[in-house]
Amino acid sequence: MGLKMGVVKQLYELQEVDLELESSERAVKQIVSQLGESQEVVGVRDKLALERQRLEELRREQHSLEWEIEDVGAKLTATEDRLYSGTIGNPKELASLQHEADGLKLKRSQLEDKALDVMEQVELTTASVATISSQLKTLETEWQSQQQQLSSEMERLKAVMLNLQHQRQLLSAEIDSEVVELYHELKKQKGTAVARVEQGVCQGCRISLSNADLQRARSGSLTQCSSCGRILFLA
């Protein structure tokens, strides 16, 4: 083919634009994958919800124990009032009341121990909720900042791609359609259609060029590498 080096240079420039476009497209896809909810934030939110639920359950248990202690205390007071009132003379009845009072005292003691344990758990869980809430706030702030940065970068990339697409249209319009078709076919097959030549070596396949290929390329003709078929470009 007797096309001059100017066309090969244009093809190389077209390829550079295409490579930039592909790089920008990959960057956009990467940003899209990062936009939206953060799994870390979601995980901490779920953890906080579970800890708050546990705290609520502990507080309900604490209040239930307090009411139960109060109820047992009232029954113990009533039993002791009868026991020490002096109105009961029957030894068996007195022994029964004493046994009842002792049982109520034991039950109240057990309930108070349990209430203390629950109170400690409430304090620990309250502190845990505060810690996780603080952690979540920090993560959400960082996530929102990251989302804003990603959105800004997305807009910048869109503008870059729009400019590159415009450049591509202009370059393609200046090149013969058959040559553009050859470029696309090679690009589809090999990933890159145009290979630089450095020190007599095709940078597409890293194989030294024959003298015939080098002479054709230097003469300004559109020349394809005998080894890989890419269009040779001598800068």
Side-chain angles (χ1 to χ4, degrees):
M1 298 174 72
L3 297 167
K4 295 299 179 184
M5 183 58 71
V7 174
V8 178
K9 186 177 181 183
Q10 285 175 323
L11 285 173
Y12 185 78
E13 288 173 357
L14 179 62
Q15 179 168 276
E16 290 293 289
V17 169
D18 279 342
L19 290 172
E20 283 187 60
L21 265 171
E22 288 165 10
S23 175
S24 297
E25 285 167 1
R26 285 194 297 271
V28 166
K29 284 181 182 177
Q30 180 67 23
I31 288 172
V32 168
S33 71
Q34 292 176 288
L35 285 170
E37 282 283 21
S38 157
Q39 290 304 308
E40 187 179 10
V41 170
V42 170
V44 175
R45 278 181 190 156
D46 290 344
K47 185 179 178 182
L48 179 59
L50 287 172
E51 204 71 352
R52 280 176 171 162
Q53 183 182 346
R54 172 172 161 74
L55 180 58
E56 189 179 333
E57 290 168 356
L58 284 167
R59 282 175 174 161
R60 279 202 299 267
E61 186 179 0
Q62 185 180 27
H63 293 148
S64 177
L65 285 166
E66 287 169 354
W67 294 331
E68 199 172 348
I69 290 167
E70 189 177 335
D71 182 55
V72 171
K75 287 178 181 177
L76 178 60
T77 299
T79 301
E80 287 180 333
D81 285 349
R82 287 184 65 203
L83 184 63
Y84 302 122
S85 66
T87 59
I88 299 171
N90 188 320
K92 283 186 178 180
E93 192 175 348
L94 283 170
S96 177
L97 281 171
Q98 184 62 59
H99 181 72
E100 186 180 341
D102 290 343
L104 288 168
K105 283 178 184 176
L106 178 62
K107 187 175 182 180
R108 183 176 66 179
S109 176
Q110 290 171 338
L111 287 170
E112 285 172 344
D113 287 344
K114 191 174 181 181
L116 279 172
D117 180 55
V118 171
M119 188 185 297
E120 287 178 6
Q121 290 183 59
V122 166
E123 289 174 359
L124 288 170
T125 308
T126 300
S128 176
V129 165
T131 300
I132 297 170
S133 295
S134 176
Q135 181 188 3
L136 179 60
K137 187 177 180 181
T138 300
L139 283 173
E140 284 180 332
T141 300
E142 290 173 354
W143 172 75
Q144 286 166 0
S145 175
Q146 182 200 48
Q147 292 294 294
Q148 288 173 354
Q149 289 173 5
L150 288 170
S151 295
S152 297
E153 179 62 8
M154 175 80 88
E155 291 307 310
R156 187 192 71 80
L157 284 169
K158 284 180 179 178
V160 167
M161 289 171 69
L162 198 63
N163 183 50
L164 288 168
Q165 285 162 359
H166 180 63
Q167 287 182 45
R168 194 184 192 291
Q169 287 174 352
L170 292 177
L171 280 167
S172 296
E174 292 175 2
I175 306 169
D176 184 88
S177 60
E178 287 185 12
V179 176
V180 173
E181 190 177 336
L182 172 64
Y183 166 84
H184 284 304
E185 187 61 34
L186 288 170
K187 187 174 182 295
K188 184 179 177 181
Q189 291 174 4
K190 304 176 181 298
T192 54
V194 185
R196 290 179 67 94
V197 176
E198 293 179 8
Q199 296 181 340
V201 175
C202 168
Q203 297 303 302
C205 60
R206 304 287 178 177
I207 294 175
S208 295
L209 297 169
S210 66
N211 288 331
D213 281 350
L214 274 174
Q215 285 174 6
R216 280 197 300 272
R218 283 172 182 154
S219 73
S221 297
L222 188 149
T223 306
Q224 291 177 248
C225 174
S226 298
S227 298
C228 68
R230 289 180 178 89
I231 298 165
L232 299 173
F233 173 59
L234 278 75

